Each structure stands twice: as C-alpha cells, then as structure tokens.
Amino acid sequence: MSIKLDQVSLVHPNGHRAVGNVSFEIDSGERVAIIGPSGAGKTTLLRLLATALRPSAGEIRILGDDPWRVGRGVLRELRCRVGMVHQAPPIPPRQRVVTAVLAGRLGRWPLWKGLASLVYPVDIEGARQMLARMEIADKLFERCDRLSGGQLQRVGVARILYQQPDLLLTDEPVSAVDPALSDRVIGELNSEAIERGVTLVASLHAVDLALHWFPRIIGIRGGEIAFDLPPARVTDAMLKDLYASEAAVPTQTNAPLAMQPTGIRRKPMCS
Amino acid sequence: MRLVHWLVLAALLAVTWASFAFLSLDLGSLLTGEARAQMWKYVVSFFPPDMSAEYLVRIGHGTLETIAISAIGTAVAAVLGLALALPASGRFGAVPRAVARLILNFLRSIPDLVWAALMVMAAGLGPFAGTLALAWHTAGVIGRLFAETLENAPTEPAQALRLSGSRQSLAFLYGTLPNVVPQLVAYSLYRWEINIRMAAILGVVGAGGLGQMLYFSLSLFQQKQALTVIIAMLLLVVIVDGASAWLRRRLAD
C-alpha cells in the first residue's frame, strides 16, 4: 500500500474546509490523476500527501508510515522517498538549473556532498540526463530566472526525476507548458513510474491529458471525492457535473473532448 | 498665527537665550577685529600643504591602513552579523530570537567612536583597536539588516527541499541563501563605504589610520601636514563613494 487516507479533513485556520472526509487507497505502482475545477482542493490534497500539511481530522499513511506519529528521523527518511513537483516551482531565481536539479537528492546526500555541490556541481551528467528527458538539456548552466514559466516547470520535473522517489506527486506540472511538450512531460513521468514500479499521483487541469495517460481518475469538487473510476467509465455527464462551476470542461487546447465510436473517450496507452 | 504658535516661538527664543547665558558664550567676541585676525592667521598657517615625497609616503601608508581597517572590520562584522541574524530572524525559536536581538541592539546602540575608545583601552593604540571597534558596531547594524532580509525571504524554496528530506542546513543554503545573497552583499558594501569614512576619523581616539595622523599633526601644531591628511581623506571618500555606487549599480541586476 502506497497511500491510505481514512476520513481525512483539512480545515484552514481561517475556517475554510479545503478537504472534507476523504478516504481512498492507492497501491504501489498505481498511476492516478486528480481532476476538478479550480479551488476544488486538488493542491491541498497533494500537500497532505506530501506531508506538507497535517490533517485536521482522520488518518493518513504514506508509504506505510503515519508521518505525524513518527519521530523526526523517520519522517526525514520518509520525505526522502516522496517527491513533489509544484505548479510554480519554488526555485530561487538566481540559482543555476544544474544546482536546482541536483537539489532533488539533498535528502540522500551526506552534508559534505551537499556543501561541495554548492562550490562545484557534483553530478553534472546526472542532471543533464534528466534535463534531456525534459528536452531542456541546453539550459543546464542557465540561471532559473532566465527561463520561461514552462521551462521552469520542466526543471521542477527534472528535479523529481533526479530525486528518484517512491511516490511521485505532481501539482499541475504542465500548466505553463505548451500542449505537445505537455504530452511529452506527462509521458516521461508515467514511464518513470512504470519502469521503477513507483506510484504517481498527478493533479491536472487538462482533462484530456488525465484521461489519456492515467488508468485511474479521481474527480474532486468542494474538497470531496465526486468519482474514482478508470477513464473508460468517466462519462460526459460526470465531467459536466464536476466542472459545473466553469464555462466548459477544460482541455489542453480548450477544444471539446474527442469521442470515440465505442463511447470510450480514449484508451490509456500505458496500462 | 494662533496664540499657541506665538507662545511656542517665545519659549524657543527664551530657551536659546538661556542656553547661551548658561554656557557663558559670547558670540560678540567672535566678531571683534582681533578674533578675525587670529582666525585668518590660523587658516593661512595650513597653506601650502606638505607635499614632500617623504610625507606623501606616510600619507599613502595611512590611507592603506584606513582602507584595511574598514575592510577587515566590515568583513568580520558581516560574518558576525550573519551568525547573529540567523537566530534573530526566528529560525531557532522565540528565546534565541530575543537573545540575538538583544545582543544586536547592544552592539548597535554604542557608537563606533565609543567602541574605538573602549578598544584602545582593551587592545592598545593602533589599527587593531580601530578594526575591532568597527566590527562590533557594524555587526550590530548589519545583523539587524540581515535578520530583516532573512525574515522577508520567501520560505517556499527551503520548505520544498525540507519536504523532500533535505536537512535544515542544506535547505537553507540551497533554498534561502541564493534569494538573499545580493541583498546581503549590497548591505555589506554600503556599510563598508560608511566605515571607510568612519575609519578615517576613528584615529582621533588613537585607533590608527589617517585619523591618527590628523590628530598628531594638529596636536603638534603642524597645520601644513594636517591639511595634507585632510586632502587625502577627502580624495579617499570621493573615490570610495563613486566606486561603491558603481559597484552596487552593477550588482543590482
């Protein structure tokens, strides 16, 4: 079992309930997309999984541990095995791309190695490989504030690939990346999860990307689970209902979802 | 004008007059012919400045000493200031924060000239006392500025690294420091610029550099040499102001 949530709620200090009574389990090696309108609680849910937020109620187990009951040492061990890609990668603007990518493995490095890498990057080749998978190997020594939003998001993904965690969490990792590259980035994340047999949980704004790449779709609205199904069983009505607060079901190009003759939207390619 | 304003004005005039009376200052004696003649004689005695090669060498030595005092003093202050700014920014809890702030306030509230007088007693006459004096006072000023910079730095980058298992020290070095370094360097350069000017007068209490030369020559009634020192100080300040402004402009982008 990779993730287990039991009646988990999160109430922000201002009284807003971002997540309410959510329960689900995700097995090791599963690939799950979380979709839902803005403000549905996607980011909060991922931050709960990343051990960034402590649930106000309910129980949460990540990779077999309850992160809020274990000691500091165990928690740090656990966090080494969890990687998160943020929608706006929190990377210092003046940092070089290579350093930002190598920072992914700081948890596993001894102190001296972390210090040495500040003076001269200790694994340039490793960083270059991960950036190549994101098609930005040429930006290796660029400063991060010289990158576009989409390029920075890909640096964030390269960092998590370099970290090699057992649980990959990504919060709208391609919101600023153009459609063709988005497909490539989500594809790389999926093949990473398949090759190493690790778990991937991704929140996505573009529903077509989610339906295309992930064998399991969790739709959330108002902090609660609306549905939890394989993509073939997610119907138009469910999506319309889920995105009732928005003008249309969001896709990469904002075109309506393509319907295949059998009524199945798209076959997941990697399941 | 209202009556209150008139009363305030009258009170101010009365206080000014009372101060003169209390200190027995006689402004009138400044304007007598004799006083003016004496002042003129003293001003003229400064000219021409002593431009002998031998004295210029000593001036050069004093200038270098002043620059060195300010550079080392500022560098030590930057290190000490950063060490105090970390707890003062609340990174280690409320108690270390309060203690560090108290130390910074103490260091800062004693002016550098007073520190210099104290250090001359502790470390003896000469540049070492001046360096220590600048280091103490500047550490207080710079530590406070560093602490505020650290408090205002975004927490997300370091937090993200902590969440992927990084230890706190490395998360700080990789996540926080790159965001604040330009600001820390700019503050240090600015304080260095101030400290060069300060180092030039610290010598008056015996803490080395150009100030000490000025004090000696004035005490020994060698006005021509004193003028050379004053010119050297002026040149040093003009050059340093220009260089520092240029450097900080370059660093800003």
Side-chain angles (χ1 to χ4, degrees), chain A residues 42-44 46-47 84-88 153 169-175 201-204:
Chain A
K42 300 191 292 288
T43 298
T44 305
L46 278 164
R47 285 177 63 75
M84 171 122 165
V85 178
H86 302 253
Q87 186 177 5
Q153 282 192 328
L169 304 168
T170 65
D171 185 16
E172 303 205 12
V174 289
S175 57
V201 182
S203 79
L204 288 170

Side-chain angles (χ1 to χ4, degrees), chain B residues 20-38:
Chain B
F20 271 100
F22 179 70
L23 296 171
S24 334
L25 293 180
D26 185 2
L27 270 185
S29 65
L30 260 181
L31 299 170
T32 62
E34 194 195 355
R36 271 182 289 173
Q38 270 191 7

Side-chain angles (χ1 to χ4, degrees), chain A residues 50-52 72 76 79-80 82 86 90-95 99 103-104 106-107 109-111 113-115 117-118 159 163, chain B residues 154-171 173-182 251-253:
Chain A
T51 74
R72 282 181 65 171
R76 205 164 80 76
R79 283 174 167 174
C80 289
V82 179
H86 302 253
I91 297 172
R94 301 169 68 95
Q95 196 160 57
T99 314
L106 279 182
W109 282 354
L111 187 60
K113 200 169 175 185
L115 293 176
S117 191
L118 276 176
R159 173 193 271 190
Q163 186 190 348
Chain B
T155 54
E156 293 84 9
Q159 171 71 0
L161 292 170
R162 297 277 306 282
L163 285 178
S164 56
S166 168
R167 62 192 86 220
Q168 201 157 1
S169 53
L170 285 179
L173 291 175
Y174 277 79
T176 307
L177 207 55
N179 274 327
V180 296
V181 155
L251 276 173
D253 81 322

Side-chain angles (χ1 to χ4, degrees), chain A residues 53-92:
Chain A
L53 293 172
R54 182 177 190 154
S56 332
E59 234 178 288
I60 188 165
R61 292 187 86 79
I62 307 292
L63 300 172
D65 284 319
D66 180 340
W68 304 106
R69 295 251 169 85
V70 298
R72 282 181 65 171
V74 179
L75 179 60
R76 205 164 80 76
E77 281 298 291
L78 174 66
R79 283 174 167 174
C80 289
R81 299 168 61 204
V82 179
M84 171 122 165
V85 178
H86 302 253
Q87 186 177 5
I91 297 172

